[in-house]
Amino acid sequence: MGNIFKDKLFGLVVPLIAIGFGFLAGGVIMLLSGNNPIDGYVALMQGVFGEVYYFGETLQRMTPLIFSGLAVAFAFRTGLLNIGVEGQLIVGWFVSVFVGIVIEAPMIIHLPLAILAGALAGALWGFVPGILKAKFQVHEVIVTIMMNYIAMHVVNHFIRNFMLESGQRTAFINDSASLSSDFLTSITDFSRLHWGFLIAVAACFVMWFILWKTKKGFELRSVGYNKHASSYAGMNVNMNIILSMSVSGAFAGIGGAMVGLGTYNYANILPSFTNLGFDGIAVALLGSSTSIGIFLSAFLFGGLKEGANNMQSQAGVAPELVEIIIALIIFFVASSYLIRWIYSRLQSKKEGK
Amino acid sequence: MKKRFMMLVSSVVAAGTLLAACGEGNNEDTTPVNNDANGGNEITENEENNNNDGNNEATGDGEGFSSKMVTDTGGVDDRSFNESAWAGLQMFGDDYPEAEVEYIQSNDASDYAPNLNRLARDGTDITFAIGFLMEDDIRTVAQQNEDQNFAIVDTVVMEDDETISNIANITFAEHEGSFLVGAVAAMHSETDHVGFIGGVESDLIKKFESGFKAGVKYVDPDMEVTVQYAQDFNDASRGQQIADTMYGNGVDIIYHAAGGTGNGLFTEAIDRARNGENVWAIGVDQDQALTEGEWDEGNVILTSMVKRVDQAVYQVSEDTMNGNFPGGEVLEFGLEDDGVGIAETRDNVSDEAIEAVEEYEAMILNGEIEVPQTDDEYEEFESSL
């Protein structure tokens, strides 16, 4: 009993230590580059909590990160590494915006339809690597990475040739498909916070429910723990792999829909990856693939990115520094084995006394 | 098992991060140092100061005035218009030491709106958005902060076919400058075949293309011009690939309007020059020969089409400080006000070509040559030759 509690606590300790180390190392780098780390971090905090506008923008930023984190985590629970969240998110973004522009319908139909379309597009983009993995043993990491490039260039092609409205973007979506909220905007002093945030919170529950409260979820996790044992127990491993990749892709696709229908209300030609999907890998890793963990780490990453801009304007710290801190946090999380080892050494010393 | 899995995860994350980094090659050399971000720009800057000393007729020291800018994702040391704009602001800061100048870099497109908002909220007297990518964001932010002054470079922000009263729109007559380098290219080409590499196809880059082609054909209607778009502003390897194909097909001078993609052109030109081939490249936006194209026996950059974003930013800042904010206006900086033109570095250009350029410049100024800006106008121009 005590052990279980200890394990749970430990699951929380490792990410926190990793974050602590990340910030510490970031502070050292600021010192080395001639900035005052305290000023820098104060500016970072003010850039998140200083004004409701910044806070609203932080929540807006974490919305797609929650979805990409959930997407990575969902596949991860089935023992799959979905590096293609980026591409699934891009197609979800594009298709939801497409539906948002082309179709005219009352909001109660239009909005869910647009989000669903995004989810389906993402699911399709996850289904392909899933089926290749299940049928032909093609490693999903390779396929998903390639699919990212395909997604970006195909979407760019469609926008450039068929939907270009002004400059680099499509037309705005119809209001009936928009997640933008005058209410949320007004309480956060014109930030781009939108209803998608609430959908993201709901999605965290959905993932937790699917994985932990349904029979299918049990199967998915079981395949993740041990494919062969699951197969021996009579589960259809291949089906579960395909399903897991598709659901994962659907999460990512909805994440893209949040960006398209909520933040921007259009899709644009992407000069390079959005990185929302890749950051999702970090979010899932730091959140140890749990719903609540993903929510919290999405907030951390969203806040870091939002606050970074304030760091440079107020404290003169290069925005790249935040990228370095994020990279270091990921590094420390990934080397949690090291933290575990140090921790257990300390623990046994204590007990020795 | 667990251990191996963790190893796998960490290596995959590492791979993911690496790949993500590949995606944004533009960041490879972004090491912003706020104090002195542009070593390469000093020369232009000094000249600039001299030029400007004449018209600074005692307008105070700029106390209480602030002029700040938001870069696009290229970063402040992109060796292109962001860097040039910041040079203009620094110049302004030198001339009016009490005025506050500053920049914020945007790491990705989602930073534009918060960054513009941040400056507006700080009570900045004029906030510059550098680059047409910020068009939609500046429109929203400007409408939310109606008392604040904004300016955008390279595009005209419209709402219901009207400009917005608190945004000044800074544009350039890139076609005119491109015409001049086109003429230079035509006079220097030995194979009678020149090339153009564009970034992403858009109205803006079309102006470069049309002007360049017109300049070439004006000198010699039989010249061949190959045009190709990289569909990317930050893909140097793609630029090199295109340049390789063009040079391979007998092109000997290539002009680019492709931002970071153009750096691949210079790499390819240097490689070929080392092999003894007689090829040239033409730079864009800044006097690129100062920072690029150098090899053991000279420089492969024939000349550059410069776009004086620094001049424009300086001038709009100064006007705003003097109470003449050109809000809602579309400002076009052309040959007339030295907004565009041929770079100072022209050691590789023959005297003959320079004379011709001066002649054409005068002809454009007095309206004798009307430089085309779009495909349609170009066709008309070509058939009139």
mmCIF file of all heavy atoms in Angstrom, chain B residues 329-350:
data_model
loop_
_atom_site.group_PDB
_atom_site.id
_atom_site.type_symbol
_atom_site.label_atom_id
_atom_site.label_comp_id
_atom_site.label_asym_id
_atom_site.label_seq_id
_atom_site.Cartn_x
_atom_site.Cartn_y
_atom_site.Cartn_z
ATOM 1 N N GLU B 329 -1.998 56.010 -44.649
ATOM 2 C CA GLU B 329 -1.419 56.299 -45.965
ATOM 3 C C GLU B 329 -0.639 55.095 -46.471
ATOM 4 O O GLU B 329 -0.162 54.270 -45.698
ATOM 5 C CB GLU B 329 -0.456 57.487 -45.873
ATOM 6 C CG GLU B 329 -1.151 58.814 -45.680
ATOM 7 C CD GLU B 329 -0.137 59.937 -45.496
ATOM 8 O OE1 GLU B 329 0.930 59.892 -46.130
ATOM 9 O OE2 GLU B 329 -0.427 60.848 -44.707
ATOM 10 N N VAL B 330 -0.519 55.013 -47.789
ATOM 11 C CA VAL B 330 0.336 54.002 -48.393
ATOM 12 C C VAL B 330 1.584 54.714 -48.887
ATOM 13 O O VAL B 330 1.522 55.525 -49.808
ATOM 14 C CB VAL B 330 -0.367 53.302 -49.569
ATOM 15 C CG1 VAL B 330 0.556 52.269 -50.183
ATOM 16 C CG2 VAL B 330 -1.654 52.661 -49.100
ATOM 17 N N LEU B 331 2.697 54.450 -48.232
ATOM 18 C CA LEU B 331 3.934 55.112 -48.615
ATOM 19 C C LEU B 331 4.700 54.186 -49.542
ATOM 20 O O LEU B 331 4.923 53.032 -49.218
ATOM 21 C CB LEU B 331 4.789 55.386 -47.379
ATOM 22 C CG LEU B 331 4.077 56.095 -46.224
ATOM 23 C CD1 LEU B 331 4.903 55.987 -44.972
ATOM 24 C CD2 LEU B 331 3.827 57.545 -46.587
ATOM 25 N N GLU B 332 5.087 54.683 -50.700
ATOM 26 C CA GLU B 332 5.924 53.851 -51.559
ATOM 27 C C GLU B 332 7.293 54.484 -51.697
ATOM 28 O O GLU B 332 7.431 55.599 -52.182
ATOM 29 C CB GLU B 332 5.306 53.638 -52.942
ATOM 30 C CG GLU B 332 6.105 52.588 -53.705
ATOM 31 C CD GLU B 332 5.598 52.337 -55.110
ATOM 32 O OE1 GLU B 332 5.643 53.280 -55.922
ATOM 33 O OE2 GLU B 332 5.179 51.199 -55.391
ATOM 34 N N PHE B 333 8.295 53.766 -51.213
ATOM 35 C CA PHE B 333 9.653 54.259 -51.322
ATOM 36 C C PHE B 333 10.252 53.711 -52.616
ATOM 37 O O PHE B 333 10.425 52.509 -52.769
ATOM 38 C CB PHE B 333 10.476 53.828 -50.115
ATOM 39 C CG PHE B 333 10.052 54.519 -48.848
ATOM 40 C CD1 PHE B 333 8.967 54.053 -48.115
ATOM 41 C CD2 PHE B 333 10.713 55.661 -48.409
ATOM 42 C CE1 PHE B 333 8.558 54.702 -46.963
ATOM 43 C CE2 PHE B 333 10.309 56.310 -47.257
ATOM 44 C CZ PHE B 333 9.233 55.832 -46.529
ATOM 45 N N GLY B 334 10.531 54.596 -53.541
ATOM 46 C CA GLY B 334 11.017 54.157 -54.850
ATOM 47 C C GLY B 334 12.401 54.702 -55.126
ATOM 48 O O GLY B 334 13.128 55.112 -54.219
ATOM 49 N N LEU B 335 12.759 54.720 -56.414
ATOM 50 C CA LEU B 335 14.064 55.238 -56.817
ATOM 51 C C LEU B 335 14.222 56.689 -56.393
ATOM 52 O O LEU B 335 15.284 57.124 -55.981
ATOM 53 C CB LEU B 335 14.193 55.153 -58.342
ATOM 54 C CG LEU B 335 14.458 53.774 -58.926
ATOM 55 C CD1 LEU B 335 14.416 53.848 -60.436
ATOM 56 C CD2 LEU B 335 15.801 53.255 -58.458
ATOM 57 N N GLU B 336 13.109 57.383 -56.476
ATOM 58 C CA GLU B 336 13.112 58.814 -56.234
ATOM 59 C C GLU B 336 13.699 59.181 -54.869
ATOM 60 O O GLU B 336 14.554 60.033 -54.750
ATOM 61 C CB GLU B 336 11.664 59.295 -56.289
ATOM 62 C CG GLU B 336 11.510 60.686 -56.822
ATOM 63 C CD GLU B 336 10.039 60.920 -57.161
ATOM 64 O OE1 GLU B 336 9.281 59.925 -57.239
ATOM 65 O OE2 GLU B 336 9.669 62.075 -57.321
ATOM 66 N N ASP B 337 13.200 58.484 -53.835
ATOM 67 C CA ASP B 337 13.691 58.810 -52.495
ATOM 68 C C ASP B 337 14.707 57.784 -52.004
ATOM 69 O O ASP B 337 14.788 57.496 -50.833
ATOM 70 C CB ASP B 337 12.530 58.940 -51.505
ATOM 71 C CG ASP B 337 11.261 58.312 -52.019
ATOM 72 O OD1 ASP B 337 11.335 57.183 -52.557
ATOM 73 O OD2 ASP B 337 10.209 58.936 -51.894
ATOM 74 N N ASP B 338 15.464 57.200 -52.923
ATOM 75 C CA ASP B 338 16.487 56.210 -52.581
ATOM 76 C C ASP B 338 15.934 55.051 -51.776
ATOM 77 O O ASP B 338 16.632 54.446 -50.976
ATOM 78 C CB ASP B 338 17.644 56.858 -51.802
ATOM 79 C CG ASP B 338 18.425 57.807 -52.682
ATOM 80 O OD1 ASP B 338 18.519 57.519 -53.886
ATOM 81 O OD2 ASP B 338 18.912 58.828 -52.168
ATOM 82 N N GLY B 339 14.665 54.752 -51.945
ATOM 83 C CA GLY B 339 14.072 53.623 -51.240
ATOM 84 C C GLY B 339 14.531 52.291 -51.804
ATOM 85 O O GLY B 339 14.624 51.303 -51.094
ATOM 86 N N VAL B 340 14.802 52.279 -53.106
ATOM 87 C CA VAL B 340 15.368 51.092 -53.732
ATOM 88 C C VAL B 340 16.508 51.546 -54.640
ATOM 89 O O VAL B 340 16.627 52.733 -54.935
ATOM 90 C CB VAL B 340 14.336 50.314 -54.593
ATOM 91 C CG1 VAL B 340 13.230 49.741 -53.747
ATOM 92 C CG2 VAL B 340 13.769 51.201 -55.684
ATOM 93 N N GLY B 341 17.330 50.606 -55.067
ATOM 94 C CA GLY B 341 18.399 50.972 -55.979
ATOM 95 C C GLY B 341 19.463 49.903 -56.029
ATOM 96 O O GLY B 341 19.296 48.815 -55.489
ATOM 97 N N ILE B 342 20.557 50.256 -56.685
ATOM 98 C CA ILE B 342 21.661 49.307 -56.803
ATOM 99 C C ILE B 342 22.629 49.524 -55.648
ATOM 100 O O ILE B 342 22.853 50.656 -55.226
ATOM 101 C CB ILE B 342 22.356 49.495 -58.170
ATOM 102 C CG1 ILE B 342 21.512 48.815 -59.238
ATOM 103 C CG2 ILE B 342 23.743 48.951 -58.164
ATOM 104 C CD1 ILE B 342 22.281 48.450 -60.456
ATOM 105 N N ALA B 343 23.178 48.421 -55.127
ATOM 106 C CA ALA B 343 24.028 48.496 -53.944
ATOM 107 C C ALA B 343 25.275 49.327 -54.197
ATOM 108 O O ALA B 343 25.710 49.506 -55.331
ATOM 109 C CB ALA B 343 24.413 47.091 -53.517
ATOM 110 N N GLU B 344 25.830 49.807 -53.109
ATOM 111 C CA GLU B 344 27.084 50.572 -53.179
ATOM 112 C C GLU B 344 28.224 49.707 -53.710
ATOM 113 O O GLU B 344 29.087 50.171 -54.432
ATOM 114 C CB GLU B 344 27.446 51.086 -51.785
ATOM 115 C CG GLU B 344 26.550 52.207 -51.282
ATOM 116 C CD GLU B 344 26.652 53.427 -52.164
ATOM 117 O OE1 GLU B 344 27.768 53.765 -52.599
ATOM 118 O OE2 GLU B 344 25.592 54.042 -52.435
ATOM 119 N N THR B 345 28.245 48.431 -53.304
ATOM 120 C CA THR B 345 29.309 47.543 -53.758
ATOM 121 C C THR B 345 29.025 47.143 -55.193
ATOM 122 O O THR B 345 28.073 46.423 -55.466
ATOM 123 C CB THR B 345 29.359 46.266 -52.904
ATOM 124 O OG1 THR B 345 29.331 46.657 -51.550
ATOM 125 C CG2 THR B 345 30.596 45.462 -53.190
ATOM 126 N N ARG B 346 29.827 47.656 -56.116
ATOM 127 C CA ARG B 346 29.634 47.304 -57.521
ATOM 128 C C ARG B 346 30.978 47.184 -58.227
ATOM 129 O O ARG B 346 31.120 47.546 -59.389
ATOM 130 C CB ARG B 346 28.726 48.326 -58.207
ATOM 131 C CG ARG B 346 28.990 49.770 -57.823
ATOM 132 C CD ARG B 346 28.079 50.719 -58.568
ATOM 133 N NE ARG B 346 26.887 51.038 -57.802
ATOM 134 C CZ ARG B 346 26.160 52.146 -58.007
ATOM 135 N NH1 ARG B 346 26.499 52.998 -58.927
ATOM 136 N NH2 ARG B 346 25.089 52.377 -57.278
ATOM 137 N N ASP B 347 31.974 46.633 -57.475
ATOM 138 C CA ASP B 347 33.314 46.480 -58.048
ATOM 139 C C ASP B 347 33.292 45.567 -59.261
ATOM 140 O O ASP B 347 34.108 45.700 -60.165
ATOM 141 C CB ASP B 347 34.271 45.874 -57.004
ATOM 142 C CG ASP B 347 34.248 46.664 -55.717
ATOM 143 O OD1 ASP B 347 33.816 47.838 -55.765
ATOM 144 O OD2 ASP B 347 34.645 46.113 -54.677
ATOM 145 N N ASN B 348 32.342 44.612 -59.249
ATOM 146 C CA ASN B 348 32.315 43.638 -60.339
ATOM 147 C C ASN B 348 31.542 44.147 -61.549
ATOM 148 O O ASN B 348 31.512 43.508 -62.579
ATOM 149 C CB ASN B 348 31.678 42.335 -59.850
ATOM 150 C CG ASN B 348 32.551 41.649 -58.813
ATOM 151 O OD1 ASN B 348 33.774 41.744 -58.892
ATOM 152 N ND2 ASN B 348 31.927 40.990 -57.856
ATOM 153 N N VAL B 349 30.888 45.283 -61.393
ATOM 154 C CA VAL B 349 30.053 45.782 -62.483
ATOM 155 C C VAL B 349 30.887 46.673 -63.401
ATOM 156 O O VAL B 349 31.674 47.494 -62.930
ATOM 157 C CB VAL B 349 28.859 46.585 -61.918
ATOM 158 C CG1 VAL B 349 27.928 47.018 -63.023
ATOM 159 C CG2 VAL B 349 28.120 45.769 -60.880
ATOM 160 N N SER B 350 30.717 46.501 -64.699
ATOM 161 C CA SER B 350 31.494 47.296 -65.649
ATOM 162 C C SER B 350 31.014 48.744 -65.652
ATOM 163 O O SER B 350 29.863 49.028 -65.327
ATOM 164 C CB SER B 350 31.356 46.702 -67.051
ATOM 165 O OG SER B 350 30.018 46.852 -67.483
#
